[in-house]
Amino acid sequence: MRYGKQLLVLAALLATIGAATQASAASVHRSMTNRNVSIETIVQFGNDVQPVMIEENSRINIARVIQIGGTGTVDATIIQNGVRNYANVIQMGGTTNAAVGQSGLSNTADITQIGNSTNALLLQIGDMNTGAVRQFGRFNWLAIFQFGR
């Protein structure tokens, strides 16, 4: 389990490298968290979309990120530690970067990327892992790591 946490930190680090600092044109952020359930939704659109970092540590974790950017870079990182984890990322931009790290009994991740260059990293540690990645671009990179407990 020690290696799982190190891999989650690595996933977060890779996604935040080269993150833009410009203000987003429009953004909506909704969240609800307690020790049993954590739900977080972030929607951003415009030419200068901010990088997104979500970390959830409840028993049930649900994260959704929708980023519609211009020709620049779009970044999202989701880290979830719980019994049941669900992550959904939808990105459009010149370069799209998504990193999802999940540790729990049941992990589900769904990533959709549209851009000139699309990059995704998916790490799942648990007994029931489900991952789907769709990339539409000229230059696509994807790494999926799924480990049982």
Side-chain angles (χ1 to χ4, degrees):
M1 197 59 176
R2 183 180 81 214
Y3 294 109
K5 289 185 181 185
Q6 290 173 345
L7 287 172
L8 288 175
V9 170
L10 176 63
L13 179 63
L14 288 174
T16 57
I17 291 174
T21 60
Q22 295 94 0
S24 176
S27 180
V28 176
H29 181 191
R30 300 282 185 254
S31 65
M32 190 281 300
T33 302
N34 63 40
R35 116 189 136 121
N36 289 319
V37 178
S38 179
I39 301 171
E40 194 152 359
T41 301
I42 297 175
V43 178
Q44 298 178 326
F45 55 92
N47 286 329
D48 298 317
V49 175
Q50 291 261 325
V52 170
M53 171 67 166
I54 296 175
E55 185 172 354
E56 297 175 312
N57 294 300
S58 297
R59 288 177 47 83
I60 299 171
N61 298 306
I62 301 168
R64 170 169 277 173
V65 175
I66 301 171
Q67 296 175 304
I68 314 271
T71 58
T73 301
V74 179
D75 293 305
T77 303
I78 299 173
I79 298 173
Q80 297 174 315
N81 295 300
V83 176
R84 299 189 191 285
N85 301 306
Y86 173 78
N88 178 252
V89 177
I90 300 171
Q91 296 177 313
M92 294 176 65
T95 299
T96 61
N97 301 309
V100 176
Q102 298 174 313
S103 178
L105 180 64
S106 175
N107 302 307
T108 302
D110 185 35
I111 300 170
T112 301
Q113 297 176 308
I114 302 169
N116 187 49
S117 176
T118 63
N119 306 291
L121 173 63
L122 175 58
L123 168 65
Q124 295 177 313
I125 301 168
D127 291 333
M128 295 182 286
N129 299 316
T130 302
V133 179
R134 287 167 294 285
Q135 293 177 314
F136 304 94
R138 291 184 59 207
F139 306 100
N140 302 313
W141 179 85
L142 167 64
I144 299 175
F145 301 95
Q146 294 178 312
F147 302 101
R149 287 183 178 214

